[in-house]
Amino acid sequence: MSGRSGQGWARCLPRVFAAAAAAVGLYGAALLVAVPGLARGPASVADIAEGLQDAVVNISTTQTLKGPDDGAPIRKGPKGSPFEEFFDDFFDEEGPDGMLRKVSSLGSGFVIDPSGLIVTNNHVIEGADEIIVNFNDGSKLKVTKILGHDPKTDLALLKVEPSRPLKSISFGDSSALRVGDWVMAIGNPFGLGGSVTVGVVSATKRDINAGPYDDFIQTDAAINRGNSGGPLFNMEGEVVGVNTAIISPTGGSIGIGFAVPSDTAVKVLDQLKEYGETRRGWLGVHVQNVTEEMAPALGLDAPRGALVASVTPDGPAAAGGIKPRDVILGFDGQSIRTMRDLPRAVAGGTVGKDVLLKVLRGGKAVDVTVTLGRLPEEDDDIAEPQEGARPETDDLLGLTIAPLTHQLRDKFRISGKVEGVVVTDVKPDSPAAKKHINAGDVIVEVTQEAVRKPEEVVARLRAVRKSGRPRVLFLLADADGELRFVAIPVS
């Protein structure tokens, strides 16, 4: 570009910018007219925050360890989550190896009763020898009692003894939240003390595989380490969530945070307050998702519901008549869209209550009434599909099968309670191998009919091919008797 043309371009720049600005202005004005309220976020949350900060607390804990091999748990958030490593609060260790040392943790919480009831995350206080609550005015109180805690939802309820009533806040209705609603988080990020951040609800009912009852609110309001256990507010100043987790490769906020919905938290906290523990409903079934391949064989036009793989003997479901192969489509008036909807619905049920289940059995709708039991602590009332993996005949979809003899039981260590036809080999790259069927798996049913001999399996497969159906439905058991359904293409 010559100097002259350069000068000419420079002289044109103001006019170019002016034209661009005018165009953007016109477009922006049109957009604001087309979308009323687009420019109206919360002009300021100062008034809301000012009335809430005194009820939000910082929580510090200390734990004494004996040495590097002490084995005391230092949790990094809800156990089992794929984001576990990013959830942790600060930990500071003091003292040489092999000597007693203190481990410190920082988190957040909030007061829900003026008498001194405080909510936080279970992972913030888990294993602590001492818990100190720090208030906005600089005062401190020692926690006198942990009224209860629940690792499955990562909630804990603490008690302090104040000399005067504390400022408290109340829960709102998290089910009323919509994606795009404004929310505000107050907490103790990085140990800095009360900090306020604002964002929107990015998603609801988010499952992050932290546990069987995942139902998180996702928000882009900045949540960082130290915010764990703090409140997420709606614009009415009500608590709609308890901040629990973040996704972050750096440990800082990247706009993806998660909160336990208030509707879940209230139920858990009420039980912790009354009983000191949770009392969840229990159905006594192991379930798996209905896949697209399974749906036609089960009489469904599309994948939905929770497929019962097995029923706990003497459990509530068994007593009510629930059977393997049933597809649970509704529970106590709630629609069950996927497998994971069922444990959440059951857990929220009332122990001892008669509930109506909408069930699809053999392609027909059936109503079944079950009296809910109480969930044993070690049971999650849920079983993921357990599709294993491994390798004769093409007619048998790549499977080599045999009667379940004592010798084969011993070889594959198959439980005595398992009955059926054993898979002794699986051909590589066969339809069966692609569905992760292993040598040692036991075929219990084919097309929802029990099989005890290899020829019965062959006959069922021939019938499926003759009918023109594209897939055959197997019910398989592993060596321990855990059941799963597998739909295999027959052509």
Side-chain angles (χ1 to χ4, degrees), residues 6-322:
Q7 292 172 3
W9 173 247
R11 286 194 297 270
C12 290
L13 281 177
R15 293 196 296 274
V16 172
F17 285 140
V24 170
L26 288 172
Y27 174 76
L31 185 60
L32 292 178
V33 171
V35 187
L38 183 65
R40 295 197 308 267
S44 172
V45 297
D47 290 340
I48 303 173
E50 186 177 23
L52 301 172
Q53 284 183 299
D54 287 343
V56 181
V57 300
N58 301 338
I59 293 178
S60 61
T61 70
T62 57
Q63 180 181 4
T64 302
L65 303 184
K66 295 179 181 178
D69 298 323
D70 180 83
I74 299 180
R75 288 286 307 280
K76 295 178 183 263
K79 184 178 179 181
S81 168
F83 315 127
E84 183 174 353
E85 63 181 295
F86 305 129
F87 294 175
D88 201 10
D89 297 319
F90 293 125
F91 288 93
D92 296 316
E93 301 184 9
E94 299 175 357
D97 289 345
M99 303 293 289
L100 291 176
R101 68 190 194 276
K102 295 285 187 181
V103 177
S104 300
S105 171
L106 295 174
S108 303
F110 55 98
V111 182
I112 61 169
D113 190 291
S115 66
L117 299 185
I118 294 171
V119 176
T120 188
N121 281 152
N122 176 67
H123 78 263
V124 170
I125 56 90
E126 186 176 31
D129 299 319
E130 183 180 62
I131 306 171
I132 302 297
V133 178
N134 305 282
F135 293 87
N136 192 45
D137 61 4
S139 62
K140 300 181 178 183
L141 287 173
K142 183 177 180 179
V143 170
T144 56
K145 186 177 182 180
I146 300 175
L147 295 180
H149 61 102
D150 179 39
K152 288 186 174 70
T153 54
D154 200 23
L155 294 171
L157 184 62
L158 314 178
K159 183 72 171 75
V160 296
E161 301 293 343
S163 58
R164 63 181 186 278
L166 300 175
K167 170 72 175 178
S168 65
I169 47 184
S170 59
F171 285 101
D173 181 6
S174 59
S175 68
L177 287 177
R178 299 189 303 160
V179 173
D181 280 348
W182 289 96
V183 287
M184 175 177 65
I186 303 180
N188 179 34
F190 299 108
L192 293 173
S195 296
V196 177
T197 56
V198 176
V200 299
V201 174
S202 305
T204 60
K205 299 185 178 301
R206 186 68 85 196
D207 178 4
I208 62 173
N209 294 315
Y213 311 119
D214 281 16
D215 193 28
F216 291 105
I217 300 165
Q218 181 183 329
T219 179
D220 67 350
I223 296 172
N224 291 286
R225 293 184 177 184
N227 275 108
S228 290
L232 185 71
F233 295 99
N234 60 21
M235 290 297 102
E236 283 71 51
E238 300 169 323
V239 179
V240 289
V242 182
N243 298 321
T244 298
I246 63 172
I247 301 177
S248 171
T250 63
S253 174
I254 60 170
I256 304 177
F258 300 97
V260 178
S262 58
D263 291 356
T264 298
V266 167
K267 293 177 182 177
V268 171
L269 295 169
D270 283 348
Q271 292 186 355
L272 295 180
K273 181 179 178 181
E274 184 173 356
Y275 307 113
E277 60 185 359
T278 55
R279 296 190 176 185
R280 293 186 171 93
W282 178 50
L283 196 55
V285 294
H286 287 77
V287 296
Q288 67 181 76
N289 271 322
V290 176
T291 66
E292 289 187 7
E293 296 172 329
M294 293 177 184
L298 294 169
L300 291 165
D301 56 357
R304 56 192 174 98
L307 175 60
V308 178
S310 63
V311 180
T312 304
D314 303 321
I322 294 293

Side-chain angles (χ1 to χ4, degrees), residues 392-426:
E392 164 161 324
T393 73
D394 291 334
D395 287 342
L396 284 175
L397 310 172
L399 296 171
T400 301
I401 58 177
L404 187 51
T405 62
H406 293 300
Q407 292 84 356
L408 289 174
R409 282 190 189 276
D410 292 341
K411 177 181 178 179
F412 294 111
R413 299 181 180 180
I414 297 170
S415 167
K417 67 183 179 181
V418 177
E419 296 293 342
V421 178
V422 66
V423 176
T424 59
D425 199 6
V426 183

